[in-house]
Amino acid sequence: MPLLEEYLPFFVEEPVVPELSDRIGDVVRSTSIPVATGERLYSRWDFKKVLESGVAVAQPTSPTRGHLGGTADRGHGGGVRRLAGPALPARTHRARGLPPGGVRHPNLLIQEQSLGIHYNEGSDLLDYLVDPSVFHYDDGHVGLLTAPGLGIEIDEKAVERAAETGHRWRNPVWRRDDGSQAEW
């Protein structure tokens, strides 16, 4: 990471696997790049440990990404507010790691999106909008939504069709060219 400092990255995400969260403080102290973590932490106590290490960005995620199944925000120990909200030191920001959609979580440092990415085929956020062009990227950013309400219009027929079909989402298995397994 020190070799990347001259490029001024916004932050580095998940530099250690959750099993080594006790080492994240070493990473934080080794670089001037802000460190983000938390997508695979499942309790307030897991978050407490990494927040005390000086991470700059807490990333509570939800099981819609396939971690636990169930409803968004509640599967990981009670949601964003319960996991990281009260425990966040003043210097720590929140970034939502909920790429399938983030239309209901304002006031964050950044919102991860995976619009149009291969693992969302058949269940992309854009599949459920009357006008998906509201999420058009311009220079890596989506403009401020200006329509009433959340700024989007849900295609209710598409939602009903999806509800009738149901889902059986599982973490995808990706392989590199050499056959080794890749992950998120």
PDB file of all heavy atoms in Angstrom, residues 136-150:
ATOM      1  N   HIS A 136     -27.463   6.732 -15.002  1.00  0.00           N
ATOM      2  CA  HIS A 136     -26.410   6.868 -16.010  1.00  0.00           C
ATOM      3  C   HIS A 136     -25.149   7.421 -15.350  1.00  0.00           C
ATOM      4  O   HIS A 136     -25.194   8.389 -14.603  1.00  0.00           O
ATOM      5  CB  HIS A 136     -26.868   7.802 -17.140  1.00  0.00           C
ATOM      6  CG  HIS A 136     -25.765   8.138 -18.096  1.00  0.00           C
ATOM      7  ND1 HIS A 136     -25.309   7.241 -19.040  1.00  0.00           N
ATOM      8  CD2 HIS A 136     -25.006   9.251 -18.214  1.00  0.00           C
ATOM      9  CE1 HIS A 136     -24.323   7.811 -19.705  1.00  0.00           C
ATOM     10  NE2 HIS A 136     -24.116   9.022 -19.223  1.00  0.00           N
ATOM     11  N   TYR A 137     -24.029   6.785 -15.632  1.00  0.00           N
ATOM     12  CA  TYR A 137     -22.756   7.243 -15.084  1.00  0.00           C
ATOM     13  C   TYR A 137     -22.152   8.330 -15.967  1.00  0.00           C
ATOM     14  O   TYR A 137     -22.124   8.211 -17.178  1.00  0.00           O
ATOM     15  CB  TYR A 137     -21.748   6.086 -14.996  1.00  0.00           C
ATOM     16  CG  TYR A 137     -22.024   5.147 -13.862  1.00  0.00           C
ATOM     17  CD1 TYR A 137     -22.735   3.973 -14.065  1.00  0.00           C
ATOM     18  CD2 TYR A 137     -21.576   5.424 -12.579  1.00  0.00           C
ATOM     19  CE1 TYR A 137     -22.984   3.101 -13.014  1.00  0.00           C
ATOM     20  CE2 TYR A 137     -21.814   4.561 -11.533  1.00  0.00           C
ATOM     21  CZ  TYR A 137     -22.521   3.404 -11.765  1.00  0.00           C
ATOM     22  OH  TYR A 137     -22.754   2.551 -10.728  1.00  0.00           O
ATOM     23  N   ASP A 138     -21.653   9.381 -15.331  1.00  0.00           N
ATOM     24  CA  ASP A 138     -20.939  10.436 -16.022  1.00  0.00           C
ATOM     25  C   ASP A 138     -19.649  10.658 -15.245  1.00  0.00           C
ATOM     26  O   ASP A 138     -19.684  11.079 -14.080  1.00  0.00           O
ATOM     27  CB  ASP A 138     -21.786  11.711 -16.067  1.00  0.00           C
ATOM     28  CG  ASP A 138     -21.112  12.832 -16.839  1.00  0.00           C
ATOM     29  OD1 ASP A 138     -20.246  12.537 -17.687  1.00  0.00           O
ATOM     30  OD2 ASP A 138     -21.472  13.996 -16.600  1.00  0.00           O
ATOM     31  N   ASP A 139     -18.527  10.309 -15.856  1.00  0.00           N
ATOM     32  CA  ASP A 139     -17.221  10.446 -15.213  1.00  0.00           C
ATOM     33  C   ASP A 139     -17.168   9.685 -13.885  1.00  0.00           C
ATOM     34  O   ASP A 139     -16.636  10.173 -12.894  1.00  0.00           O
ATOM     35  CB  ASP A 139     -16.879  11.924 -15.017  1.00  0.00           C
ATOM     36  CG  ASP A 139     -15.405  12.138 -14.691  1.00  0.00           C
ATOM     37  OD1 ASP A 139     -14.568  11.295 -15.088  1.00  0.00           O
ATOM     38  OD2 ASP A 139     -15.099  13.141 -14.006  1.00  0.00           O
ATOM     39  N   GLY A 140     -17.778   8.496 -13.863  1.00  0.00           N
ATOM     40  CA  GLY A 140     -17.720   7.652 -12.675  1.00  0.00           C
ATOM     41  C   GLY A 140     -18.720   7.989 -11.592  1.00  0.00           C
ATOM     42  O   GLY A 140     -18.669   7.414 -10.506  1.00  0.00           O
ATOM     43  N   HIS A 141     -19.631   8.902 -11.854  1.00  0.00           N
ATOM     44  CA  HIS A 141     -20.608   9.318 -10.853  1.00  0.00           C
ATOM     45  C   HIS A 141     -22.013   9.261 -11.428  1.00  0.00           C
ATOM     46  O   HIS A 141     -22.215   9.497 -12.609  1.00  0.00           O
ATOM     47  CB  HIS A 141     -20.342  10.750 -10.389  1.00  0.00           C
ATOM     48  CG  HIS A 141     -19.036  10.913  -9.699  1.00  0.00           C
ATOM     49  ND1 HIS A 141     -17.855  11.123 -10.380  1.00  0.00           N
ATOM     50  CD2 HIS A 141     -18.714  10.879  -8.389  1.00  0.00           C
ATOM     51  CE1 HIS A 141     -16.863  11.231  -9.510  1.00  0.00           C
ATOM     52  NE2 HIS A 141     -17.357  11.078  -8.300  1.00  0.00           N
ATOM     53  N   VAL A 142     -22.968   8.993 -10.560  1.00  0.00           N
ATOM     54  CA  VAL A 142     -24.375   9.098 -10.922  1.00  0.00           C
ATOM     55  C   VAL A 142     -24.838  10.454 -10.411  1.00  0.00           C
ATOM     56  O   VAL A 142     -24.571  10.820  -9.256  1.00  0.00           O
ATOM     57  CB  VAL A 142     -25.208   7.974 -10.266  1.00  0.00           C
ATOM     58  CG1 VAL A 142     -26.694   8.198 -10.473  1.00  0.00           C
ATOM     59  CG2 VAL A 142     -24.791   6.624 -10.820  1.00  0.00           C
ATOM     60  N   GLY A 143     -25.503  11.198 -11.273  1.00  0.00           N
ATOM     61  CA  GLY A 143     -25.984  12.523 -10.869  1.00  0.00           C
ATOM     62  C   GLY A 143     -27.041  12.438  -9.783  1.00  0.00           C
ATOM     63  O   GLY A 143     -27.660  11.393  -9.561  1.00  0.00           O
ATOM     64  N   LEU A 144     -27.231  13.538  -9.117  1.00  0.00           N
ATOM     65  CA  LEU A 144     -28.246  13.626  -8.077  1.00  0.00           C
ATOM     66  C   LEU A 144     -29.618  13.355  -8.684  1.00  0.00           C
ATOM     67  O   LEU A 144     -29.972  13.939  -9.706  1.00  0.00           O
ATOM     68  CB  LEU A 144     -28.204  15.024  -7.458  1.00  0.00           C
ATOM     69  CG  LEU A 144     -28.835  15.210  -6.101  1.00  0.00           C
ATOM     70  CD1 LEU A 144     -28.210  14.274  -5.079  1.00  0.00           C
ATOM     71  CD2 LEU A 144     -28.651  16.649  -5.648  1.00  0.00           C
ATOM     72  N   LEU A 145     -30.369  12.461  -8.091  1.00  0.00           N
ATOM     73  CA  LEU A 145     -31.696  12.152  -8.606  1.00  0.00           C
ATOM     74  C   LEU A 145     -32.642  13.294  -8.258  1.00  0.00           C
ATOM     75  O   LEU A 145     -32.645  13.786  -7.129  1.00  0.00           O
ATOM     76  CB  LEU A 145     -32.186  10.828  -8.015  1.00  0.00           C
ATOM     77  CG  LEU A 145     -31.267   9.625  -8.258  1.00  0.00           C
ATOM     78  CD1 LEU A 145     -31.838   8.366  -7.622  1.00  0.00           C
ATOM     79  CD2 LEU A 145     -31.030   9.410  -9.736  1.00  0.00           C
ATOM     80  N   THR A 146     -33.442  13.715  -9.219  1.00  0.00           N
ATOM     81  CA  THR A 146     -34.256  14.919  -9.023  1.00  0.00           C
ATOM     82  C   THR A 146     -35.758  14.667  -9.048  1.00  0.00           C
ATOM     83  O   THR A 146     -36.525  15.566  -8.737  1.00  0.00           O
ATOM     84  CB  THR A 146     -33.925  15.965 -10.110  1.00  0.00           C
ATOM     85  OG1 THR A 146     -34.148  15.382 -11.393  1.00  0.00           O
ATOM     86  CG2 THR A 146     -32.480  16.414  -9.987  1.00  0.00           C
ATOM     87  N   ALA A 147     -36.192  13.480  -9.422  1.00  0.00           N
ATOM     88  CA  ALA A 147     -37.629  13.192  -9.446  1.00  0.00           C
ATOM     89  C   ALA A 147     -38.166  13.125  -8.015  1.00  0.00           C
ATOM     90  O   ALA A 147     -37.392  12.979  -7.060  1.00  0.00           O
ATOM     91  CB  ALA A 147     -37.885  11.877 -10.183  1.00  0.00           C
ATOM     92  N   PRO A 148     -39.465  13.208  -7.848  1.00  0.00           N
ATOM     93  CA  PRO A 148     -40.052  13.149  -6.497  1.00  0.00           C
ATOM     94  C   PRO A 148     -39.702  11.859  -5.762  1.00  0.00           C
ATOM     95  O   PRO A 148     -39.347  10.846  -6.374  1.00  0.00           O
ATOM     96  CB  PRO A 148     -41.561  13.209  -6.770  1.00  0.00           C
ATOM     97  CG  PRO A 148     -41.695  13.814  -8.119  1.00  0.00           C
ATOM     98  CD  PRO A 148     -40.471  13.408  -8.879  1.00  0.00           C
ATOM     99  N   GLY A 149     -39.814  11.890  -4.466  1.00  0.00           N
ATOM    100  CA  GLY A 149     -39.538  10.714  -3.642  1.00  0.00           C
ATOM    101  C   GLY A 149     -38.066  10.372  -3.665  1.00  0.00           C
ATOM    102  O   GLY A 149     -37.213  11.220  -3.452  1.00  0.00           O
ATOM    103  N   LEU A 150     -37.765   9.129  -3.951  1.00  0.00           N
ATOM    104  CA  LEU A 150     -36.378   8.675  -4.012  1.00  0.00           C
ATOM    105  C   LEU A 150     -35.700   9.043  -5.320  1.00  0.00           C
ATOM    106  O   LEU A 150     -34.523   8.758  -5.511  1.00  0.00           O
ATOM    107  CB  LEU A 150     -36.318   7.158  -3.814  1.00  0.00           C
ATOM    108  CG  LEU A 150     -36.782   6.635  -2.463  1.00  0.00           C
ATOM    109  CD1 LEU A 150     -36.817   5.115  -2.464  1.00  0.00           C
ATOM    110  CD2 LEU A 150     -35.875   7.139  -1.357  1.00  0.00           C
TER     111      LEU A 150
END
